[in-house]
Amino acid sequence: MKKIFNSIILYAGLFIAFILVLSCLQLYENANRLFGSKSSDSNYWLTFSKKITPDNIGRKELLGFNESDISKIKTWSEVKAIYPFSANEFKASANGGDFIPFYTDLYFEGLDLKAIDSDLTDEEFQVKGDEIPIIISREYLNLYNYGFALNQGLPQISEDFAKKIEVNINITVNKQNKTYKGKMVGLSDRIHSVLIPKKFLDSLNMAEKPELATQPKIYNRVLVQVKDSGDEGLVSKMKENGYESNQESLRSAKIKSKLFLVLKIIAVLGVFIFALCLYIIVSFIKIQFLEKQEEVSIKNSLGYSPKKMVSDISRKFSLNLMFVLILSLGLIAAGQYFIAKSDVSNGLLSMYINPLLWSMIIIIPIMVYFFVNILIYRWLIKSWKI
């Protein structure tokens, strides 16, 4: 009875250990699905700017990114590509004419077209005559429709209709005013800015400030393509260099790092319980041999191989271990299925556990079989001097 009770306690401990460790592995995969994972195929975009401090406030040479900063960021393993923004050095404003009576000063930025989430070609995104193609943040259009237009009694504008509207763009370069027709050709979810063709913007900047040709280039901010926006190493390097980005984009990194820390602690606890159970079971087998020393000695004298006797016990233990693993993975698979079906997952989680976890049913018993087999056999040979 005592032997059965001890066995139940031991295998219950193993069951808890497997649940803890394997659950952590599955939760790790779930967290990567929810918060994004580090992968060479993944593309995440962050806009870097330097944190404003009393030392660099108002000093573009300190607040902006120079070529040295850009070269350094390129060496970061988390970064795939970097695209600096060009900003206007000239005055610009816009008005909507009679249809939308508004006036506003403007800022423009230019960026490589391949970094913009738009289907436009180089041919489509270039200045033709006095018409300037413009890409704006989708948030700006929402701000107008749901904030400005409603409060001011102005008409709301759909995305398709917005592309048909032309506004007057007033640009002052070398104290000369020129009016262009601005036409929105696209909306961006990635970049919160007003974008015009980079070559056109750079040419106006050079016309306004010819001295820029001989000065080191300074970019107000840069767009960075990374493997994982939630990478702890990336966030650490940004903090170390005083760079900032959209806090909402980095919020997942903070949540992810805390979640992974908890998972690591639980996994370590599970491994500790597993090792403790393994130690207890090895000791349990040793006690069995000691209690049956006379029986085993007789069997040995009758020709039974000690190695075979140990092997039989190890095989039996490994089979029991396999049964416990099947139960553990079955419970985890059921939990995964119900979590994936629930509203919490928001359709982002798989209904099945990682297929590799099922391979543990074979791998762990085989490894434990050889471990226990070798350990008990050596102890038997040493203690009995067979």
Side-chain angles (χ1 to χ4, degrees):
M1 191 66 186
K2 182 180 178 182
K3 182 180 175 182
I4 295 174
F5 178 76
N6 289 337
S7 296
I8 291 174
I9 294 297
L10 287 173
Y11 287 111
L14 282 170
F15 178 74
I16 293 172
F18 287 141
I19 287 289
L20 290 176
V21 176
L22 297 176
S23 294
C24 286
L25 293 175
Q26 183 57 42
L27 287 172
Y28 181 85
E29 179 168 317
N30 290 346
N32 275 330
R33 280 179 178 268
L34 291 173
F35 299 110
S37 59
K38 185 190 296 185
S39 165
S40 59
D41 298 329
S42 300
N43 290 310
Y44 298 89
W45 298 85
L46 295 173
T47 301
F48 284 8
S49 56
K50 287 188 177 178
K51 188 176 182 180
I52 296 176
T53 66
D55 295 329
N56 62 19
I57 189 168
R59 300 176 63 184
K60 187 176 179 181
E61 69 278 10
L62 297 179
L63 258 179
F65 292 81
N66 55 36
E67 295 296 340
S68 176
D69 294 326
I70 292 174
S71 298
K72 184 178 178 181
I73 293 173
K74 283 181 180 176
T75 63
W76 294 2
S77 58
E78 301 85 358
V79 171
K80 299 177 74 174
I82 179 169
Y83 301 91
F85 284 90
S86 293
N88 63 302
E89 301 281 351
F90 49 86
K91 289 185 178 179
S93 63
N95 65 76
D98 296 333
F99 180 70
I100 307 177
F102 78 94
Y103 172 87
T104 180
D105 287 331
L106 269 184
Y107 76 96
F108 290 124
E109 287 185 311
L111 193 67
D112 284 345
L113 187 57
K114 59 185 176 183
I116 304 172
D117 49 339
S118 168
D119 296 329
L120 297 173
T121 63
D122 289 331
E123 177 65 21
E124 293 168 329
F125 194 55
Q126 66 175 336
V127 178
K128 296 175 182 175
D130 64 345
E131 183 176 289
I132 302 176
I134 297 173
I135 297 174
I136 67 170
S137 167
R138 194 181 304 278
E139 286 298 317
Y140 292 175
L141 184 61
N142 292 335
L143 185 64
Y144 169 79
N145 280 331
Y146 302 107
F148 187 74
L150 283 178
N151 293 336
Q152 300 298 319
L154 295 171
Q156 290 181 296
I157 302 172
S158 67
E159 291 185 10
D160 290 336
F161 186 65
K163 293 180 181 178
K164 298 176 182 176
I165 298 174
E166 289 185 349
V167 296
N168 297 318
I169 303 294
N170 308 302
I171 290 176
T172 302
V173 176
N174 283 334
K175 299 180 181 178
Q176 294 183 351
N177 299 324
K178 187 171 182 181
T179 300
Y180 292 86
K181 294 293 182 185
K183 186 175 182 180
M184 193 187 77
V185 294
L187 296 167
S188 174
D189 293 311
R190 180 182 303 163
I191 302 159
H192 300 287
S193 186
V194 181
L195 301 172
I196 63 174
K198 188 172 183 299
K199 286 183 180 178
F200 178 69
L201 177 63
D202 290 340
S203 67
L204 292 180
N205 281 341
M206 293 299 293
E208 174 70 13
K209 294 183 177 179
E211 65 273 18
L212 292 175
T214 57
Q215 294 177 353
K217 292 184 177 178
I218 302 292
Y219 305 99
N220 292 352
R221 53 187 194 153
V222 292
L223 182 68
V224 184
Q225 185 182 18
V226 299
K227 301 173 184 174
D228 179 8
S229 61
D231 189 278
E232 296 175 43
L234 175 66
V235 175
S236 175
K237 288 175 183 174
M238 288 176 61
K239 187 177 180 181
E240 181 182 335
N241 288 277
Y243 299 159
E244 291 183 321
S245 186
N246 187 317
Q247 289 302 309
E248 192 63 32
S249 301
L250 300 177
R251 193 182 305 278
S252 64
K254 297 174 183 176
I255 298 173
K256 192 175 174 182
S257 62
K258 288 182 173 61
L259 178 61
F260 283 179
L261 178 62
V262 173
L263 291 179
K264 286 176 185 176
I265 293 172
I266 296 174
V268 168
L269 180 63
V271 170
F272 174 75
I273 294 175
F274 175 71
L276 185 63
C277 290
L278 205 58
Y279 173 77
I280 294 174
I281 287 173
V282 169
S283 300
F284 185 69
I285 295 173
K286 285 180 180 179
I287 292 172
Q288 281 187 317
F289 270 100
L290 288 173
E291 290 176 346
K292 299 178 180 179
Q293 182 173 4
E294 185 178 351
E295 179 183 340
V296 174
S297 297
I298 293 172
K299 285 184 177 180
N300 182 44
S301 62
L302 290 175
Y304 279 89
S305 167
K307 195 169 187 176
K308 187 177 183 309
M309 287 187 279
V310 173
S311 180
D312 289 342
I313 293 175
S314 300
R315 187 184 303 110
K316 180 183 175 183
F317 170 63
S318 296
L319 289 173
N320 291 339
L321 205 62
M322 185 180 292
F323 178 72
V324 175
L325 271 166
I326 292 172
L327 282 179
S328 304
L329 285 171
L331 186 62
I332 294 171
Q336 176 71 16
Y337 177 80
F338 286 111
I339 291 175
K341 294 282 285 183
S342 68
D343 295 335
V344 177
S345 70
N346 201 23
L348 296 174
L349 297 180
S350 169
M351 290 190 291
Y352 308 102
I353 62 174
N354 190 320
L356 292 177
L357 290 181
W358 292 108
S359 64
M360 296 295 116
I361 293 175
I362 303 298
I363 294 174
I364 292 179
I366 289 177
M367 290 179 63
V368 171
Y369 168 79
F370 285 107
F371 174 75
V372 173
N373 196 27
I374 293 170
L375 204 65
I376 296 295
Y377 181 70
R378 286 184 178 177
W379 168 80
L380 199 63
I381 296 297
K382 185 178 178 180
S383 61
W384 287 8
K385 298 180 181 178
I386 293 175

